[in-house]
Amino acid sequence: MKSKQRSWILPDREITAEDSYLDRRQVLKGLALAGLLPACSSAPSSLLFRAPLGSYPALRNMAFQVNERGLTDEIAATSYNNFYEFSLKKDGVKDMVGDFVTNPWKVEIAGLVEKKGEADLEDFFRHLPSEERIYRFRCVEAWAMTVPWTGFPIKRFLDWVKPLTAARYMRMLTFLRPEQAANQAPGANSGYSFPYYEALSLEEASNELSLFAHGIYGKELPRQNGAPLRLVVPWKYGLKNIKSIVRIEFTRERPATFWNDLKPQEYSWHSNVEPEVPHPRWSQASERLIPDGERVDTLPYNGYADHVAQLYAD
Ligand code: MTE
């Protein structure tokens, strides 16, 4: 394609049909197994495909795998949740999301950015190829999972919406729907002031690890896991991974974040996984794998130091 179009913006007719995509996935797997595709390199972008909404699984990017432990059982990962808008009990969230409407869904893109306005989820799918990646996931409460996410690398999202040069941060906001989320209802007295908000620096957002996820275990995200679009930044504690995003705003000044505003002594703005820095009430040196409870050492930056340590060199 000549013109200014990037190679990953394909016309609709070039969307890969699921059959041929699955074939291609087998071929790629075979090539990787045969050592013909380096396991440590990303799949070539020409082989990434742009899924029509609801088409799963996406091509797995073999560069992002977790070798030292297995995947968390899917039922465990989708029934042990933190989503305070619905319930403060982890095993209660999935039973409280029944009224939560995630389709249709609009995301407002605002602030210091060229492509301002409302995008629906189909716009994301039209412009951004999806891929599957297996990441470690570490909650600040010292439990952990290993999860196959399907999503859009945020770097590609930034190339699409084009933040202005003055922009330095990306702020994200969750929905406010008191009629759908019990703890947002008037009188709920959850003790929290919603909507939930989070932020990354643009360097963090552009890091190759950062994803906007729309799927998990090769399927659409269930509502309790943050449907239809959530942040996944695996070198940070889970609390940074904001769910069900309705607004993405680009700012010059560093935006405040939900947990850091609530308890700055307990939750830092960056909330990077730092095993050597204890939480005031517990150690962060090890973590409990869900669901069996096996204890393993926590790794600096959750095992992603090679990707991100340079961001914090100062
Ligand atoms: N996003 C919103 N909107 N509300 C929340 O309560 N909890 C955070 C994060 N994102 C939360 C959120 C915390 S503390 C964690 S550990 C993860 O979501 C949990 O994600 P999971 O339920 O998919 O494992």
Side-chain angles (χ1 to χ4, degrees):
M1 247 179 289
K2 331 191 228 198
S3 88
K4 289 187 209 128
Q5 238 183 355
R6 288 172 181 75
S7 60
W8 43 269
I9 302 178
L10 300 170
D12 282 347
R13 65 179 180 280
E14 287 180 29
I15 295 176
T16 309
E18 188 170 343
D19 291 359
S20 58
Y21 145 67
L22 286 172
D23 283 343
R24 206 157 59 182
R25 184 175 183 171
Q26 296 312 321
V27 171
L28 278 174
K29 264 192 195 158
L31 289 175
L33 283 174
L36 296 175
L37 272 187
C40 58
S41 72
S42 308
S45 59
S46 59
L47 290 174
L48 293 174
F49 92 124
R50 188 164 45 88
L53 196 53
S55 165
Y56 296 93
L59 180 66
R60 180 171 293 172
N61 186 333
M62 305 300 272
F64 301 98
Q65 307 197 75
V66 174
N67 297 319
E68 77 281 6
R69 64 195 203 205
L71 281 188
T72 301
D73 171 69
E74 179 180 346
I75 294 179
T78 54
S79 53
Y80 186 86
N81 301 104
N82 273 338
F83 206 164
Y84 278 21
E85 287 85 337
F86 295 99
S87 172
L88 306 191
K89 292 193 194 143
K90 295 184 207 320
D91 59 356
V93 176
K94 64 177 184 317
D95 302 322
M96 297 295 290
V97 294
D99 292 335
F100 180 33
V101 179
T102 59
N103 185 14
W105 191 267
K106 296 215 181 287
V107 180
E108 188 188 350
I109 298 166
L112 301 171
V113 61
E114 263 184 43
K115 187 192 179 305
K116 266 201 252 279
E118 271 193 344
D120 53 32
L121 218 54
E122 284 76 9
D123 293 324
F124 280 77
F125 279 87
R126 244 190 311 280
H127 287 96
L128 306 172
S130 293
E131 58 183 73
E132 184 180 69
R133 298 177 176 193
I134 300 175
Y135 280 160
R136 296 177 201 90
F137 186 86
R138 171 61 154 85
C139 178
V140 74
E141 298 161 338
W143 53 264
M145 302 194 190
T146 312
V147 180
W149 301 102
T150 306
F152 315 115
I154 295 182
K155 175 73 175 74
R156 289 171 187 266
F157 166 76
L158 297 175
D159 289 345
W160 171 37
V161 300
K162 301 190 179 66
L164 304 183
T165 43
R168 294 182 50 213
Y169 294 91
M170 186 174 86
R171 178 178 191 262
M172 292 148 284
L173 192 71
T174 295
F175 65 87
L176 183 61
R177 297 184 185 172
E179 68 293 356
Q180 295 179 19
N183 280 342
Q184 292 185 340
N189 278 331
S190 68
Y192 297 94
S193 166
F194 296 112
Y196 199 100
Y197 46 98
E198 256 306 334
L200 296 173
S201 72
L202 277 192
E203 290 73 32
E204 292 174 321
S206 315
N207 186 273
E208 60 179 349
L209 293 173
S210 302
L211 286 186
F212 282 134
H214 55 80
I216 190 171
Y217 294 90
K219 300 170 195 157
E220 212 172 289
L221 269 180
R223 287 174 281 189
Q224 63 269 27
N225 288 88
L229 194 70
R230 70 173 292 171
L231 180 69
V232 179
V233 278
W235 72 97
K236 293 178 175 286
Y237 289 123
L239 60 91
K240 291 290 287 187
N241 294 241
I242 181 172
K243 295 176 166 181
S244 306
I245 297 168
V246 293
R247 181 178 157 94
I248 302 171
E249 180 184 356
F250 295 89
T251 66
R252 185 195 301 266
E253 305 306 327
R254 190 169 92 166
T257 59
F258 186 83
W259 283 104
N260 182 237
D261 270 357
L262 274 172
K263 294 188 180 173
Q265 325 77 330
E266 299 192 17
Y267 309 107
S268 72
W269 191 90
H270 281 295
S271 282
N272 293 326
V273 176
E274 294 179 286
E276 72 287 3
V277 179
H279 182 276
R281 286 178 277 129
W282 58 84
S283 161
Q284 295 290 23
S286 68
E287 60 204 45
R288 184 170 52 89
L289 295 183
I290 301 298
D292 302 327
E294 187 194 344
R295 277 243 156 233
V296 298
D297 287 346
T298 294
L299 302 168
Y301 298 105
N302 205 17
Y304 298 102
D306 287 352
H307 296 267
V308 295
Q310 82 285 352
L311 293 175
Y312 311 102
D314 300 338

